[in-house]
Amino acid sequence: MIDFTKRVLAETLGTAVLLTAVVGSGIMGERLAGGNDAIALLANSLATGATLVCLILALGPISGAHLNPAVTTVAAAHGDLSWGEALRYILAQVIGAGLGVIVANLMFGLDPVSLSTHIRTGPHLWLGESIATAGLLAVIILVARQRAEAVPVAVGCYITGAYWFTSSTSFANPAVTLARTLTDTFAGIRPDDVAGFILAQTTAVAIVILARRRLGRP
């Protein structure tokens, strides 16, 4: 059994790297796209999906590579973690996400923190975010039942696709949502809009927990 402190550190580091990839690729994509948002989003989605595959492969054996409070909550609800362990995972993810955004900002010559002014609000975006989050959790659970070693690729591919087929561009992660308020760049979200996204994500988590109880644990 891996020491729990190492597992928490893995969640902190992994979520930090994930956010560095999300924000950094958004900045790079925007700068190189010459005003073409489609090209910027393509760069952002591909970099995020590829990084997720690598992080889950690298950290999965240590912490499970949740990197996401939604994933951790579902795991705790079904006994894979105690609630005390889950709270420490979630705190680590939130801290790591914030650090990752700061690193990305600094890496591209920006202020460490600049609150986003990127407006992302409205029922259509909240619906998109609910679908993105529920879909991610369903992919993890169902692929793990059939072929656990395929989960890293499945998650990376799902997130890459969900950037494009959901109206919200698939944040699907409360820690990611909070952290992306700290960058006034392509990947940012205005602080005023966070509550709607997190409510949508939380609703999706509740639905998946209820559905998983019907299906039974893998």
Side-chain angles (χ1 to χ4, degrees):
M1 177 69 70
I2 296 174
D3 180 75
F4 188 74
T5 300
K6 292 180 181 177
R7 292 160 60 190
V8 169
L9 288 174
E11 287 295 306
T12 306
L13 176 61
T15 313
V17 173
L18 173 60
L19 266 295
T20 301
V22 170
V23 174
S25 64
I27 297 170
M28 180 69 82
E30 187 176 40
R31 289 182 179 181
L32 296 180
N36 188 326
D37 286 345
I39 297 298
L41 185 62
L42 179 63
N44 198 197
S45 62
L46 290 176
T48 300
T51 301
L52 265 172
V53 173
C54 295
L55 287 173
I56 297 170
L57 286 170
L59 300 177
I62 301 173
S63 68
H66 294 187
L67 316 179
N68 186 336
V71 175
T72 299
T73 300
V74 171
H78 293 276
D80 301 321
L81 288 173
S82 72
W83 284 107
E85 290 172 333
L87 287 173
R88 282 179 279 177
Y89 260 42
I90 291 169
L91 180 61
Q93 292 155 1
V94 171
I95 292 172
L99 291 174
V101 173
I102 290 171
V103 168
N105 284 337
L106 290 172
M107 187 165 55
F108 284 91
L110 304 174
D111 291 336
V113 173
S114 55
L115 293 182
S116 178
T117 57
H118 192 152
I119 298 172
R120 299 180 191 262
T121 190
H124 65 296
L125 294 184
W126 303 333
L127 175 60
E129 193 58 16
S130 296
I131 292 169
T133 307
L136 172 63
L137 296 171
V139 164
I140 293 169
I141 292 167
L142 296 174
V143 174
R145 284 175 177 272
Q146 308 296 329
R147 193 175 174 189
E149 69 276 10
V151 168
V153 173
V155 169
C157 288
Y158 176 82
I159 289 297
T160 301
Y163 260 77
W164 289 90
F165 74 72
T166 63
S167 57
S168 66
T169 66
S170 185
F171 285 46
N173 184 325
V176 165
T177 304
L178 286 169
R180 285 168 65 167
T181 65
L182 304 178
T183 183
D184 194 18
T185 62
F186 183 80
I189 177 173
R190 190 176 60 165
D192 289 351
D193 301 336
V194 165
F197 268 56
I198 291 183
L199 180 59
Q201 293 157 0
T202 303
T203 301
V205 168
I207 291 170
V208 169
I209 288 172
L210 292 173
R212 192 181 181 198
R213 285 177 178 166
R214 293 266 185 182
L215 293 171
R217 287 175 57 189

